[in-house]
Amino acid sequence: MSRRGLPTLIALILAGLWGAGLGFAHWHGNLWFLDRVEATMTDLRTLVRGTAKPPELITIVAIDDETVRREGSYPLSRATLARIIDTIEPLGPKAIALDLLLVDPGAKDTDEALARSLRRSRSVIAAAAIYPGGKQWTLAVGEGPLARVPNAERFLWPLKAFSDAAAVGVVNVVTDRTGTPRFAPLLFRAGDQLQASFSLRVATMAAGEDPGIAPDDLSLDGRSIRTDIGHILPLTFYGPRGTIRTISAATVLAGQFDPGAIRGRIVLIGATATGTGDVFPTPFDPILPGVEVMSTAIAHLMTGDGIVRDQKVRLADAGFAVVLPMLLVGLLAWRRNAIGLAAVAGVVLIWFVVNMTAFLHHIWLSAALPMTAAVPPAILFGAAQLWLGRSRAQYFATQSQLLQRVEAPGLGAWLAKHGDFLSEPVRTDAAILFIDLSGFTGLSETLGPSATRELLNNFHALVDEEVTSCGGVVTSFMGDGAMVLFGLPEPATDDAFNAARCCAGLSSRTNDWLASLPASTASRIGFKIGAHYGTIVASRLGGEGRQHIAAIGDTVNVASRLMEIAAGQNAEVAVSDEMLAVAGRDCALFKSGILRGPVETQIRGRSGSLAIWFWQSARAPQ
């Protein structure tokens, strides 16, 4: 496996394990710390969905401000509640439900009147669950399908006269940290007592049959109602207050209402008057009356039009929690550029579309869980990639600097961009220049290692600086000498011209350098330069571990021999007639110093003679 593949594999495994851990906790309902994020995301999705038309089977009889004004007080008297029930019951509603807590005794005659009215009708009244410490949610107690049913400390029951006359259901809902109702529990327990919720009692009364309770759902009126952990029913609201059909109790008492609003419907009687306190914030309305919350839960039970979140949906959430972070990490590892970021954005967009589409089709996939599972691994892996990329960039920059020091600056930069440069030999025309210090070997024996190194280092720096300024490359330093080439990495028409300029420049700067040395040193050394122009063969030489750029051919040999001829003629520079011809009459060797020749000269190791020019700078010691 590659060096890059192993860290990526480890990151993928860790991302998958992180998502799996979160998914497992979510499947068991233990990610309460994500509730606020999930609540916000659910509200946003609800607003994007917009208002919905509620089913035409529920009517709210509201004890509103007008009713309170006409009756003169709140709560309404039991006699008034009895009159409302007696007015509604003859019209044939499926059920009458009072979303009111009838826990305190009133006048005996009015309580008896209300009890008679309840007894004559198909009615449900409200009880309340009291939780330890005021909390609405507790941990599981025991094992089995009812272990996660909300566990209350006790129940607050209506007066016995009323509970004997009507069915009773627990009215509590589960709210999030903002107070928004998210679930309507269908069952409650307090010790060994198991009680049905208000909404379930009303739906059961309207359906005319008892519900069937299974581990993950319940059946009613031939339909399966899928519930979340603990038999709680997710709530999704239809719109702001008044979206569910509402008529004023004042109009009912006055007989000024449409009987069609009652006949064959479920009728809920509840308070909507200002200051009654039974209100909740929702995505559509900051003060939705509690009776509309109950009506929403009943509508979901009767029609199945609510959102679904059960164990199967939670399992799908867990799958997204595993797949999404691994996919994002994989994409970040695949491409570390704009393409990779675009792919990541595309995956996130697809997930968002899938999540929103599911919500529009009444499936409540978690938004907070995949985000929590995917964002930290993606950020950590991306940060690690940036850090490694920066480290790698620094490493390569260091290597490049080292390469520039080992190779000529221009040649090193070229090699960094063109890795296959001179992988095969290349024939080309080039100007070759050699420079060598004379008398240096004997001098080094007396100077010692440190002084010798410093002297050579200064000389090499001088040569490298001048050659680079003229556009050439030092292909190698050989002790007290150097080989310079004009024509790599690419040949140019002015290679010979630049080589001639370099000869003059090297000669002038070397004379200045020698003059700066102590007289005892300068008097013992000199220098000589040979330059020739012609065809060379350039290539890489060496094994896989170490290679260097080399130029071979007759042109190279002649340029090297010309140093000997320059020394024999007491000249600083010996340059071939071929090179001066290509360099032209405007080159530095014609424009400065003293140039003499050409002289037909025999070259050691080469048959025939060669026309040679000799050049001396004006600064040369006489």
Side-chain angles (χ1 to χ4, degrees), residues 56-75:
E56 294 290 336
L57 54 81
I58 296 175
T59 296
I60 296 173
V61 175
I63 302 172
D64 55 9
D65 291 336
E66 178 62 19
T67 305
V68 173
R69 187 186 66 79
R70 289 189 183 185
E71 294 300 314
S73 66
Y74 182 85

Side-chain angles (χ1 to χ4, degrees), residues 6 19 34 60-61 74 105 131 180 182 205 238 243 307 367 390 415 450 500 508 549 618:
L6 181 58
L34 293 182
I60 296 173
V61 175
Y74 182 85
Y131 292 91
T180 300
R182 296 295 173 188
M205 182 76 70
Y238 299 104
T243 301
I307 53 176
R390 178 173 295 180
L415 283 169
S450 296
S508 176
I549 304 298

Side-chain angles (χ1 to χ4, degrees), residues 305-596:
D305 64 350
I307 53 176
V308 175
R309 184 163 82 170
D310 59 6
Q311 289 297 81
K312 293 180 180 178
V313 174
R314 285 180 178 270
L315 188 60
D317 289 336
F320 278 112
V322 173
V323 172
L324 192 60
M326 294 182 69
L327 191 55
L328 295 188
V329 168
L331 290 174
L332 289 173
W334 172 59
R335 286 288 188 271
R336 305 178 187 179
N337 52 23
I339 296 176
L341 293 178
V344 168
V347 168
V348 173
L349 180 61
I350 291 171
W351 166 77
F352 176 79
V353 170
V354 169
N355 189 282
M356 190 66 207
T357 302
F359 192 83
L360 294 176
H361 287 80
H362 307 287
I363 303 296
W364 185 1
L365 289 174
S366 175
L369 175 65
M371 289 171 56
T372 304
V375 170
I379 290 178
L380 290 175
F381 184 75
Q385 293 288 86
L386 289 175
W387 182 80
L388 290 174
R390 178 173 295 180
S391 298
R392 190 174 291 111
Q394 291 175 345
Y395 170 78
F396 284 123
T398 302
Q399 295 303 307
S400 177
Q401 291 176 354
L402 290 174
L403 180 61
Q404 296 289 358
R405 293 177 183 177
V406 174
E407 296 287 354
L411 196 57
W414 186 270
L415 283 169
K417 294 180 180 179
H418 305 83
D420 59 347
F421 178 59
L422 295 182
S423 57
E424 297 293 334
V426 174
R427 289 180 64 89
T428 184
D429 289 337
I432 302 294
L433 183 155
F434 281 90
I435 182 171
D436 187 58
L437 294 177
S438 56
F440 183 79
T441 302
L443 177 65
S444 63
E445 293 177 356
T446 60
L447 286 179
S450 296
T452 301
R453 177 187 179 281
E454 183 179 357
L455 195 67
L456 277 180
N457 193 54
N458 292 335
F459 174 65
H460 288 181
L462 178 155
V463 171
D464 187 66
E465 185 178 325
E466 183 64 29
V467 169
T468 300
S469 68
C470 293
V473 294
V474 179
T475 58
S476 62
F477 281 105
M478 301 160 289
D480 57 353
M483 174 180 171
V484 180
L485 192 150
F486 289 82
L488 285 182
E490 292 183 300
T493 57
D494 58 353
D495 285 336
F497 180 88
N498 289 333
R501 178 161 63 96
C502 187
C503 288
L506 278 177
S507 179
S508 176
R509 293 193 60 177
T510 303
N511 277 319
D512 290 343
W513 173 64
L514 292 174
S516 68
L517 297 176
S520 59
T521 300
S523 62
R524 299 180 59 182
I525 57 175
F527 71 94
K528 49 190 179 293
I529 299 173
H532 185 38
Y533 184 87
T535 301
I536 65 166
V537 176
S539 63
R540 293 186 193 176
L541 296 180
E544 291 297 326
R546 172 72 172 89
Q547 292 186 335
H548 64 279
I549 304 298
I552 60 175
D554 183 62
T555 301
V556 178
N557 294 332
V558 169
S560 177
R561 297 287 187 266
L562 288 180
M563 287 192 297
E564 300 176 5
I565 297 173
Q569 294 292 325
N570 198 28
E572 295 175 353
V573 179
V575 57
S576 66
D577 187 60
E578 287 91 339
M579 179 168 155
L580 283 182
V582 176
R585 303 291 295 184
D586 290 332
C587 73
L589 296 179
F590 281 107
K591 295 292 187 179
S592 63
I594 302 169
L595 181 67
R596 53 188 175 87

Side-chain angles (χ1 to χ4, degrees), residues 59-64 67 88 244-252 257-258 261-262 267-268:
T59 296
I60 296 173
V61 175
I63 302 172
D64 55 9
T67 305
I88 293 171
I244 296 176
R245 185 167 186 174
T246 302
I247 60 176
S248 172
T251 64
V252 173
F257 65 97
D258 178 11
I262 302 297
V267 178
L268 270 78

Side-chain angles (χ1 to χ4, degrees), residues 205-231:
M205 182 76 70
E209 65 178 41
D210 291 331
I213 300 176
D216 296 320
D217 63 358
L218 57 83
S219 58
L220 182 66
D221 199 19
R223 292 178 296 100
S224 175
I225 301 168
R226 296 160 64 184
T227 58
D228 202 355
I229 297 172
H231 288 287

